[in-house]
Amino acid sequence: MSQPSVKERILKMEDKKIISEYCTVFNLRDLNRGTTTFILIKTEHCQALVDFCEEAEEVTDLFRISGEFNYLIKVQTASVEELAEFQDSLVHIGPSKSHICLKNILENRVLL
């Protein structure tokens, strides 16, 4: 495929909002944020949790979910000790369960 054809296809996908943004993917291990943890939290203090997560540099993603727990937080820390400190700061918002990622197998996968 020629370069002009590729550019034209990309522009069309941008116009149709199929491509909504471009981003940079960082090597988190090199940034001393290599420990990925998913934290399930049950809370009635929803806005307090959202505010807390917006301020916490460890939080990369926050999801409202269904089930026993009502939020899922994705956290990147330098170590398990730093994770423990983060969890201690969550105690006032509600009970939580943590799942430490041992290995990333599929991440940021695009489904077309």
Side-chain angles (χ1 to χ4, degrees), residues 37-48:
T37 306
F38 297 93
I39 300 173
L40 293 164
I41 187 163
K42 185 189 313 185
T43 186
E44 294 177 3
H45 309 287
C46 298
Q47 192 57 52

Side-chain angles (χ1 to χ4, degrees), residues 4-102:
S5 296
V6 171
K7 184 175 182 176
E8 182 180 331
R9 283 190 181 193
I10 289 173
L11 290 173
K12 283 181 182 178
M13 287 190 287
E14 289 172 345
D15 288 342
K16 291 180 180 179
K17 305 294 185 211
I18 294 169
I19 296 175
S20 61
E21 66 181 44
Y22 295 93
C23 66
T24 303
V25 178
F26 295 99
N27 182 332
L28 295 171
R29 189 164 309 289
D30 288 347
L31 293 172
N32 205 24
R33 292 273 174 220
T35 302
T36 303
T37 306
F38 297 93
I39 300 173
L40 293 164
I41 187 163
K42 185 189 313 185
T43 186
E44 294 177 3
H45 309 287
C46 298
Q47 192 57 52
L49 176 65
V50 170
D51 295 342
F52 174 84
C53 288
E54 286 177 341
E55 295 297 319
E57 65 181 24
E58 300 90 348
V59 175
T60 61
D61 298 276
L62 174 63
F63 301 95
R64 180 75 158 95
I65 60 172
S66 64
E68 179 184 352
F69 294 88
N70 51 350
Y71 287 92
L72 173 67
I73 308 168
K74 183 178 177 186
V75 177
Q76 296 292 153
T77 57
S79 64
V80 176
E81 292 79 16
E82 188 178 311
L83 171 63
E85 290 175 23
F86 177 81
Q87 281 191 286
D88 290 345
S89 65
L90 269 179
V91 170
H92 70 284
I93 297 176
S96 65
K97 282 186 179 180
S98 296
H99 302 275
I100 298 171
C101 178
L102 301 177

